[in-house]
């Protein structure tokens, strides 16, 4: 439950006291993607490349082309995993 008066303060559900989430709490819960602009840019570039690869495929693509795209996308997802595990889990539904 979030207090409407102070955006940074939250209320404990058990005792009703207000508290602020620290940067570490935010990073632990939401990942580096939301707390580090450099990490966000790197992950966004990987996601953009994945989307561009996907857009090159069509109904006339061969199995070899599809396999190459799938392998590259797996490599990009593994790079995202190394950068930010929480964002990777959110993207891959693991």
């Amino acid at each position: 439950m979030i207090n409407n008066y102070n955006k940074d303060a939250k209320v404990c559900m058990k005792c009703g006291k207000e508290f602020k989430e620290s940067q570490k709490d935010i990073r632990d819960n939401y990942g580096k993607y939301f707390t580090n602009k450099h990490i966000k840019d790197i992950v966004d570039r990987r996601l953009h490349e994945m989307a561009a690869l996907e857009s090159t495929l069509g109904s006339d693509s061969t199995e070899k082309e599809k396999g190459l795209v799938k392998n590259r996308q797996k490599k990009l997802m593994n790079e995202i995993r190394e950068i930010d595990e929480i964002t990777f889990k959110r993207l891959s539904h693991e």
Side-chain angles (χ1 to χ4, degrees):
M1 179 175 4
I2 298 174
N3 184 338
N4 294 331
Y5 299 110
N6 186 354
K7 293 180 183 179
D8 295 333
K10 295 195 175 203
V11 177
C12 177
M13 299 299 270
K14 292 181 181 178
C15 66
K17 291 183 180 178
E18 290 186 5
F19 66 94
K20 281 181 78 172
E21 283 189 324
S22 68
Q23 255 329 82
K24 182 181 181 322
D25 292 337
I26 293 170
R27 194 170 37 254
D28 290 346
N29 293 328
Y30 302 109
K32 297 174 192 171
Y33 183 83
F34 293 103
T35 59
N36 187 327
K37 184 176 170 116
H38 181 67
I39 297 293
K40 182 181 187 311
D41 289 341
I42 292 171
V43 170
D44 285 345
R45 277 186 257 138
R46 302 300 189 275
L47 293 173
H48 182 268
E49 185 177 345
M50 289 175 65
L53 287 168
E54 191 70 30
S55 69
T56 63
L57 296 177
S59 58
D60 60 342
S61 297
T62 64
E63 291 300 317
K64 182 179 178 183
E65 291 172 330
K66 291 177 184 178
L68 290 172
V69 167
K70 187 174 184 176
N71 287 337
R72 180 64 184 145
Q73 287 179 333
K74 282 183 181 179
K75 287 180 184 177
L76 291 168
M77 283 300 287
N78 284 333
E79 290 176 15
I80 292 172
R81 177 188 296 188
E82 291 173 9
I83 295 168
D84 186 5
E85 183 76 26
I86 296 170
T87 301
F88 170 78
K89 288 179 182 178
R90 186 176 293 121
L91 292 170
S92 64
H93 303 290
E94 285 188 3

